[in-house]
Amino acid sequence: MRCISPTWKTSFILATMALLCFVTPTLVSAQITPAGGTAAGDDTQPPSARVGAVVFYDYTFQNIPKATDAAGNAISPNAFNVARAYVNVTGNISHLVSYRITPDINATRFALAGNNLDGSYVFRLKYAYAQVALTDWTGAWGGSYVRVGVQQTPFIDGLESAYRYRFQGTVFEERDGGMSSSDAGATFHANFPKSYGDFHVGVYNGENYNKAEVNDQKAIMARVTVRPMPSGGAIARGLRVTAFRDNDHVVRGADRIRTVGGLVLEQRRFNLGADYMTRSDQTLPTVAKVKSDGYTMWLTPFFKEKGNGVEMLLRYDSFRPNSANKSARQNRTIAGLAYWFPHPGGAGTAALMLDYEQVAFKNLSAAKQQRVTLHGLINF
C-alpha cells in the first residue's frame, strides 16, 4: 500500500472540514449533546438498579512491522480480540443520590510465567462512585452534582459525548498525552444557564484508575466548555469551545501538567473537532522537565443520521515527544467506514467499523506501523 505524505493528509482533512462547514450550512442543523449525568430517581419508589454492558471486539491485521514466530518465520500478526468489556450497574437511592459500578475487562493480559493465569485478561474497577444531585438548590444551573469515587475525568468524558469512536481507539489526549478516562477523586459539575455550556472540576489521585495512589500529591483537573451562541443559526448552535488543565506532580516539586484547548462542531450531518495539547513531565525535582505538544483533527460525516446507518471517521494526530527536538514527530492517520445498526426505541447501540491506521515517525527511532481492523461495538 502506497503511503500518502502527512502534509497531503492534513490538507485533505482540513479541506473536507472547510467544505462541510461553509458549503453546506443550509443543509444542517445543530445537534447538541448535553453534559452527562445520572438521571434523577423518584422518592416514591424503592431504590433502583439497572444492568448494562459494553463490549469492544475486533479482528486486527498488522501489515507493518512484520514479526517473527517461534519457528523463525516472518509473519504479519493478526488476531481476534476483545479490547474492552464493561458490566455497568447503575441506579438511584433517591432523587438526590445515585451510583454507578463498572468492572472492566480490558485488552491488558497478565504476564506470569509458569502460572496458570499467564495470558489471562486483567479485571479492573473502571468506575465506582456515588453522585449527589444539587439541582434542588442550584436553580438555573442545571446538571449540578457532586461525585465521589472512581469516576470519569473531565476532559475525555466531555469530548466523547461528540467523538463516539472509542471502540476504534482512545482519543489523542489519552494515547499520546498520558491522560486517563478514569481516576479516583471528588468532583463538581454544573451546566451554565441558558445552554451556554458547562464546567467540571475535581481533585483526583492522579495515578489513573488502574494504579493505587503512591504519595501525597493530588491532581487538580478543570474543564470549561462554552457554547458561544446557543440560540444562533444552524452552525452557531453546534459550536463549543473547551479549555482544560490537569495540574499534578509525580512527587513534590516534579511537574506533571497537561493543558488542552479545543473546539467541537456538532451538526445533523457531521461532527468535527480539533485540539491542541501541551504536556510537561518531570520524574524528580532534580531532573530537567520534558515538554511536548501536539494536535489532533477529526471528522465524522453521517450519511443518514448520527448513530443510524453509514458514517465515516477521518482523523489525523501529530505529536512531538520533546519540543527541544522540533523536527521529531509521531503522526497518526485513521480512516474508517462504520455502520451503526438501527436501534428502535433507543434501547442499545451496535456498530461495525473497518478502518486503516498508520503511525509514522519522523526523526525518531521507531518503526512505521500499519494495520487494518474490523471493530465491533455492543452497548446497552
Side-chain angles (χ1 to χ4, degrees):
M1 182 176 293
R2 187 174 66 88
C3 297
I4 304 172
S5 70
T7 300
W8 192 95
K9 295 170 188 171
T10 306
S11 300
F12 172 75
I13 294 175
L14 285 172
T16 306
M17 289 180 175
L19 178 65
L20 284 169
C21 283
F22 299 111
V23 176
T24 63
T26 60
L27 301 179
V28 298
S29 61
Q31 181 173 9
I32 305 300
T33 304
T38 303
D42 183 350
D43 289 345
T44 65
Q45 301 295 323
S48 66
R50 297 171 293 277
V51 178
V54 178
V55 180
F56 299 167
Y57 58 94
D58 67 75
Y59 172 76
T60 298
F61 178 88
Q62 180 175 297
N63 183 42
I64 299 175
K66 304 295 184 183
T68 304
D69 66 13
N73 302 308
I75 62 170
S76 295
N78 62 91
F80 295 95
N81 306 291
V82 175
R84 188 77 66 184
Y86 294 160
V87 176
N88 289 316
V89 181
T90 61
N92 301 87
I93 304 301
S94 68
H95 83 284
L96 294 177
V97 181
S98 56
Y99 63 88
R100 176 176 178 177
I101 302 171
T102 302
D104 169 25
I105 301 170
N106 61 38
T108 303
R109 295 178 181 267
F110 285 109
L112 301 171
N115 190 293
N116 61 3
L117 293 178
D118 187 36
S120 297
Y121 282 108
V122 174
F123 180 90
R124 291 170 173 157
L125 190 65
K126 184 66 179 285
Y127 305 115
Y129 62 78
Q131 176 174 306
V132 179
L134 305 177
T135 50
D136 283 4
W137 304 281
T138 53
W141 294 73
S144 302
Y145 60 76
V146 171
R147 280 181 185 166
V148 180
V150 183
Q151 60 183 286
Q152 295 93 333
T153 52
F155 180 80
I156 295 174
D157 183 51
L159 176 61
E160 288 184 347
S161 65
Y163 183 89
R164 300 168 302 111
Y165 282 90
R166 189 176 184 84
F167 71 99
Q168 187 281 330
T170 53
V171 298
F172 167 68
E173 289 80 5
E174 191 167 355
R175 290 201 204 187
D176 298 323
M179 292 167 55
S180 175
S181 60
S182 176
D183 201 352
T187 71
F188 172 74
H189 173 273
N191 295 338
F192 294 124
K194 300 182 180 180
S195 301
Y196 275 97
D198 72 299
F199 67 93
H200 191 177
V201 59
V203 180
Y204 294 85
N205 282 342
E207 303 301 328
N208 304 334
Y209 73 98
N210 54 353
K211 296 179 183 178
E213 176 63 291
V214 295
N215 55 34
D216 62 342
Q217 300 301 295
K218 295 292 179 285
I220 309 297
M221 300 186 196
R223 173 186 59 81
V224 178
T225 297
V226 176
R227 297 186 186 274
M229 295 169 281
S231 301
I235 295 293
R237 288 199 304 271
L239 177 66
R240 65 187 195 188
V241 181
T242 293
F244 171 78
R245 176 82 166 187
D246 176 3
N247 201 82
D248 192 11
H249 297 86
V250 177
V251 295
R252 188 176 303 173
D255 288 346
R256 180 165 57 198
I257 298 172
R258 307 288 183 267
T259 305
V260 183
L263 62 85
V264 167
L265 183 62
E266 296 178 90
Q267 298 292 305
R268 187 170 66 88
R269 292 296 187 186
F270 66 91
N271 286 352
L272 68 83
D275 299 331
Y276 175 72
M277 174 192 68
T278 63
R279 54 182 287 185
S280 177
D281 295 279
Q282 192 176 14
T283 55
L284 291 169
T286 55
V287 175
K289 295 179 182 178
V290 176
K291 295 185 177 182
S292 51
D293 61 3
Y295 62 88
T296 181
M297 301 175 292
W298 55 268
L299 171 68
T300 58
F302 315 133
F303 290 84
K304 184 178 181 181
E305 61 182 354
K306 179 180 177 180
N308 183 10
V310 179
E311 298 183 10
M312 288 186 69
L313 170 63
L314 300 173
R315 175 172 150 186
Y316 183 76
D317 303 342
S318 184
F319 179 64
R320 185 166 53 183
N322 191 333
S323 57
N325 185 356
K326 297 185 181 301
S327 62
R329 282 196 171 272
Q330 171 188 293
N331 299 313
R332 177 183 298 105
T333 303
I334 300 170
L337 187 67
Y339 180 75
W340 293 74
F341 292 90
H343 48 100
T349 302
L352 289 174
M353 177 178 182
L354 180 66
D355 79 273
Y356 166 77
E357 179 173 341
Q358 174 179 285
V359 183
F361 302 89
K362 180 181 178 182
N363 296 328
L364 292 169
S365 57
K368 179 185 291 186
Q369 304 169 20
Q370 290 180 351
R371 62 186 67 91
V372 176
T373 305
L374 178 63
H375 297 274
L377 165 68
I378 297 291
N379 182 7
F380 67 91

